Amino acid sequence: MKNLAGLKIYNFYRISVKTNQFTPHKAIPPINLNAQDSFLINYGGRRSLRTKILGEKCVRHLSNRSANSGVFELLKVRNRFSKMYENVAFLETLPTESDISCSSQRLMLYNGIIAQAHSGTYHLLPMGLRALNKLKKVINDGMESIGAQELALPCLTPGDLWKTSGRWDTTGSELFKLKDRHNIDHCLGPTHEEVITSLVATHTNLSHRQLPIKLFQITRKFRDEMAPKYGLLRGREFEMKDLYTFDSNPADAKVTYEEVCGAYDGIFKRLGLKFVKVVGDTGNIGGQLSHEYHLTADVGEDNLVTCKRCDFGANEEMIDKDNLEKHKCHKPGCDTDFTFTKGIEVGHAFLLGTKYSKLFKAAFLNEKQKRVTTEMGCYGLGVTRILAAVVEVLSEGNKIRWPKLMAPYQICIIPQKEGFKSEVTNQLAENLYDALTSIRALRSEVVIDDRTQLSIGKRVYHANRLGYPFTVAVGKKALETPPKYELTNTYTGETQYLEMNEVLEALSQLETL
């Protein structure tokens, strides 16, 4: 048997080494088998083996565990809330305001998304990591759409690189510095301009035909914050996407700059986030031009000034004091009053010019084979900061609301409480789970909340807290003929009672990653 995809599984099978065939051993209602499904294999009363069903390889593996033939049981592995870490990390008491500095930090702790490790650092728990990985996928798609390539640079950076740029001293105490056993200075990188530029500089035969170069990474960064606060919004260790570009001249570098900013616009729009793009300070990174991306929120640490008429926007620190006091836009032909808001900075773009490429001799050969210094840009997205910021700006009360693409799971199935015909509703819930996960887009997007010692209402409340976009309650109406399932869009509050095929049709249209 070379391909098991689509095979009907009757749970119990007899396997023959001679024929490499599965033979139904007991007549149990079948379930569909997907090539990527996980199963527990119960052989000889033991359930210790977990494997992926991957065609002939699985047949050989099982054959090797038996003498000539034997009976084994395939037990489909479903995402069950009772077996998830969230069932341990879930808090019943909302942390008080005195303990927590902002709503995103409180909600992420309360719902088992993060757990504090020590001051300024957090454990990212399984639900949080799933949301983060989905965000990374959206960011990767945005970067690949402009031809950027991903790489990985070391977090541990030689101090000599930072001394060459001068930032070893100018960065101040926020830079984590350390010495190795040979007494050589290193730092934990808060950013990687020095490292990437020194890498590109090693390519001494770089041709103008190979430009622009666009390299990005998503990696851990470190900053020794004096007063970490707001959970993942301002910590000592965080994840960041940083893109570095190398062009042949200032005009081309500006084109690349606009291209990357367009990709950033697309990333935030795809997530359904309302963002504000403003002119920003180049700060310690330096350069000729800078724009910041913000999500507006009361806990934001930046004061933003925007004009609704001409779409001008800037960080308050960039505005002339006189214009700021007049509350008037200073753009020619526009005297509209400024709008003042607070923002969480989630992205930043810098047009660097030759600040780093000249220092590290990152050059290319032009048409006349003359070495010319490259024009650089660098572009950051605070990945873990975006994770927290979306919770901050979208959530309602004690309920997390994610951008739907980022929700850890799209669907939570909630069967009847134990007792009244719960064995029937449990089977219906599992059948629905299997039918939903046979849809390619939903293969890893469904959870069964099987804590049937709790009422449906209690589990619906928990599902709302965690931010599943959809819940499906398998209650008393599921015992009717035909069974009816209670499908709820938790983001809109709309509820429908649907038959299984209607539930499948409604949810098969979901966009997932």
Side-chain angles (χ1 to χ4, degrees), residues 306-325:
T306 57
C307 175
K308 292 183 179 179
R309 181 177 175 185
C310 68
D311 293 329
F312 170 78
N315 196 305
E316 187 180 278
E317 61 193 14
M318 301 294 293
I319 304 294
D320 178 82
K321 185 177 179 180
D322 291 337
N323 287 315
L324 197 61
E325 290 176 351

Side-chain angles (χ1 to χ4, degrees), residues 174-219:
E174 288 187 352
L175 187 65
F176 273 109
K177 299 177 181 179
L178 62 153
K179 291 181 182 288
D180 65 15
R181 66 180 65 197
H182 305 294
N183 206 36
I184 296 174
D185 287 325
H186 293 78
C187 67
L188 297 177
T191 183
H192 278 75
E193 284 78 15
E194 288 84 355
V195 178
I196 191 70
T197 313
S198 65
L199 171 64
V200 173
T202 63
H203 304 293
T204 56
N205 293 321
L206 183 65
S207 168
H208 65 94
R209 297 185 181 88
Q210 296 171 291
L211 301 181
I213 291 174
K214 304 170 187 173
L215 299 171
F216 79 97
Q217 63 174 348
I218 298 178
T219 188

Side-chain angles (χ1 to χ4, degrees), residues 149-179:
Q149 293 178 282
E150 188 174 11
L151 83 171
L153 302 171
C155 294
L156 187 64
T157 304
D160 284 347
L161 293 179
W162 281 70
K163 292 173 184 177
T164 298
S165 69
R167 294 204 294 173
W168 182 262
D169 296 317
T170 60
T171 301
S173 57
E174 288 187 352
L175 187 65
F176 273 109
K177 299 177 181 179
L178 62 153
K179 291 181 182 288

Side-chain angles (χ1 to χ4, degrees), residues 45-80:
R46 299 181 63 186
R47 284 185 169 187
S48 58
L49 176 64
R50 180 189 292 261
T51 187
K52 289 278 190 182
I53 299 299
L54 295 173
E56 190 177 15
K57 180 178 178 181
C58 179
V59 178
R60 288 198 305 270
H61 185 67
L62 291 170
S63 299
N64 292 337
R65 292 178 59 85
S66 58
N68 292 307
S69 64
V71 176
F72 66 92
E73 181 183 10
L74 293 181
L75 303 169
K76 186 163 184 176
V77 177
R78 300 179 178 90
N79 294 322
R80 297 182 182 276

Side-chain angles (χ1 to χ4, degrees), residues 349-362:
F350 297 89
L351 195 58
L352 296 174
T354 60
K355 175 178 177 178
Y356 295 93
S357 52
K358 191 173 183 178
L359 283 171
F360 292 97
K361 299 180 173 56

